[in-house]
Amino acid sequence: MAAGLACLVLPLALQVYGPAYAGAAKMKVVEEPNTFGLNNPFLPQTSRLQPKRDPSPVSGPAHLFRLSGKCFSLVESTYKYEFCPFHNVTQHEQTFRWNAYSGILGIWHEWEITNNTFRGMWMRDGDSCHSRSRQSKVELTCGKSNRLAHVSEPSTCVYALTFETPLVCHPHSLLVYPALPMALQQRWDQVEQDLADELITPQGYEKLLRTLFEDAGYLKTPEESESTQQEGGAQGLVFENLESCNKAHKELSKEIKRLKSVLTEHGIPYTRPVETSSSEHLGSKTPTGRTAEQLRGNPGLLGNTL
Ligand SMILES: *[C@@H]1O[C@H](CO)[C@@H](O)[C@H](O)[C@H]1NC(C)=O
Ligand SMILES: *[C@@H]1O[C@H](CO)[C@@H](O)[C@H](O)[C@H]1NC(C)=O
């Protein structure tokens, strides 16, 4: 009789507790807070990580290119930091809360070069932080294995990462000159020669080298950096402050005045453009056609004005 009762109770118990056990099993998903935050299809699109722009192309010493596409993480107190060389730096809060914070601390932008050596990787245009974007500088140091060793925030929303790798242990591994294509090496040789011959000043030398590094893709020109800021500026923040905006406006007004006087000087009529959409404006053939016609009769003008 007792055995018979047990047989009856067991299926009953399974029936009662079954759904509860299934629910407990499903709860395990929460143990992966990152995938929960990042890949949860039920979260609105805006709460997932949204890079403001694409990373810059891979550049620098070729033996470091193999790091591209890999990621290295470090858990420090309640955060997991992830560094993906030539791509991004991200931060993921380690919590079981449903709305764990994940953020982009920078997207691969350019090298920092000092003393003709690659010193670090700048990752910029991360998630907004007050009126600016989060950015990170990753220093590469010699280590036994590839490892994100340290993360700190020396100033608000500027992060300093230390990445250890055996790839930078050779004393020449981070020199800029050997990484350059031959044509740019030859240009550098010429710059050295000009400095030795005192044809250029030390300041001129620094400027020429900077341009050379920009042409190599190691550094971004200020314009390129600005345009990424503008494209990325979800907040619509184009200028740091009113002062720089005023300064830009003044410069542009001066430039317009200069161009007008050039046109007047050469007797080329001009009018204020009628309000058109920017695409129409760009596609407009009239001004270029007319200018070309006028220029054809006066080849000297081209050299004078352009
Ligand atoms: C960061 O870089 C990695 C590696 O290239 C990539 O898989 C990941 O999608 C990037 N994350 C973001 C938010 O762009
Ligand atoms: C620059 O590098 C050279 C050799 O590459 C080194 O001798 C010199 O001390 C360095 N100077 C600075 C300021 O780091």
Side-chain angles (χ1 to χ4, degrees), residues 3-262:
L5 192 68
C7 286
L8 237 162
V9 166
L10 199 63
L12 199 76
L14 277 178
Q15 229 176 321
V16 169
Y17 293 115
Y21 284 130
K26 268 187 199 141
M27 287 293 283
K28 283 208 162 146
V29 173
V30 184
E31 283 174 20
E32 280 292 310
N34 290 332
T35 54
F36 192 66
L38 293 175
N39 305 327
N40 186 343
F42 302 106
L43 283 180
Q45 193 66 30
T46 46
S47 56
R48 293 194 239 165
L49 291 184
Q50 295 214 313
K52 289 179 181 172
R53 60 165 172 84
D54 290 332
S56 301
V58 174
S59 73
H63 65 284
L64 298 182
F65 293 2
R66 74 190 72 171
L67 294 173
S68 174
K70 296 185 179 152
C71 296
F72 306 90
S73 60
L74 170 71
V75 176
E76 216 166 66
S77 64
T78 55
Y79 284 102
K80 177 171 152 190
Y81 297 90
E82 195 157 52
F83 167 51
C84 306
F86 302 108
H87 210 130
N88 59 48
V89 173
T90 53
Q91 182 187 43
H92 311 274
E93 194 183 359
Q94 301 294 287
T95 168
F96 295 98
R97 284 192 296 119
W98 67 274
N99 59 347
Y101 170 78
S102 276
I104 299 177
L105 304 187
I107 301 165
W108 164 234
H109 184 68
E110 64 176 354
W111 284 99
E112 167 148 318
I113 297 177
T114 51
N115 200 16
N116 305 326
T117 307
F118 294 103
R119 290 281 175 216
M121 304 178 87
W122 274 107
M123 322 289 275
R124 302 191 215 266
D125 302 314
D127 287 346
S128 296
C129 167
H130 310 300
S131 63
R132 315 190 59 189
S133 292
R134 289 170 206 270
Q135 54 177 329
S136 305
K137 185 173 133 180
V138 185
E139 198 188 328
L140 308 178
T141 62
C142 171
K144 269 189 258 161
S145 60
N146 291 328
R147 185 170 85 93
L148 183 55
H150 189 245
V151 178
S152 65
E153 192 178 352
S155 63
T156 315
C157 299
V158 179
Y159 302 82
L161 284 70
T162 306
F163 179 67
E164 288 181 2
T165 172
L167 296 175
V168 304
C169 292
H170 190 281
H172 294 175
S173 60
L174 288 174
L175 290 184
V176 175
Y177 187 89
L180 286 167
M182 209 205 287
L184 290 178
Q185 288 184 346
Q186 284 167 357
R187 223 170 93 190
W188 192 336
D189 296 340
Q190 188 59 51
V191 172
E192 295 292 342
Q193 185 66 57
D194 290 350
L195 180 69
D197 294 345
E198 295 184 15
L199 293 174
I200 53 174
T201 62
Q203 292 95 314
Y205 170 84
E206 291 299 329
K207 241 187 199 158
L208 286 172
L209 278 192
R210 170 151 191 122
T211 315
L212 201 151
F213 297 157
E214 285 169 4
D215 291 348
Y218 303 157
L219 303 178
K220 295 289 163 192
T221 62
E223 295 81 52
E224 282 174 303
S225 303
E226 254 169 46
S227 75
T228 61
Q229 290 279 344
Q230 283 173 28
E231 279 161 20
Q235 319 290 324
L237 192 91
V238 177
F239 296 102
E240 283 300 330
N241 51 40
L242 186 63
E243 197 185 310
S244 62
C245 176
N246 280 336
K247 199 168 147 237
H249 179 259
K250 223 157 118 186
E251 273 165 18
L252 284 175
S253 303
K254 226 165 84 187
E255 178 67 1
I256 289 173
K257 220 162 127 189
R258 187 187 71 83
L259 290 170
K260 277 182 179 171
S261 75
V262 168

Side-chain angles (χ1 to χ4, degrees), residues 268 273 280-294:
I268 300 169
E280 269 172 7
H281 205 91
L282 285 172
S284 169
K285 291 260 159 28
T286 329
T288 38
R290 185 203 236 147
T291 322
E293 219 174 87
Q294 296 210 344

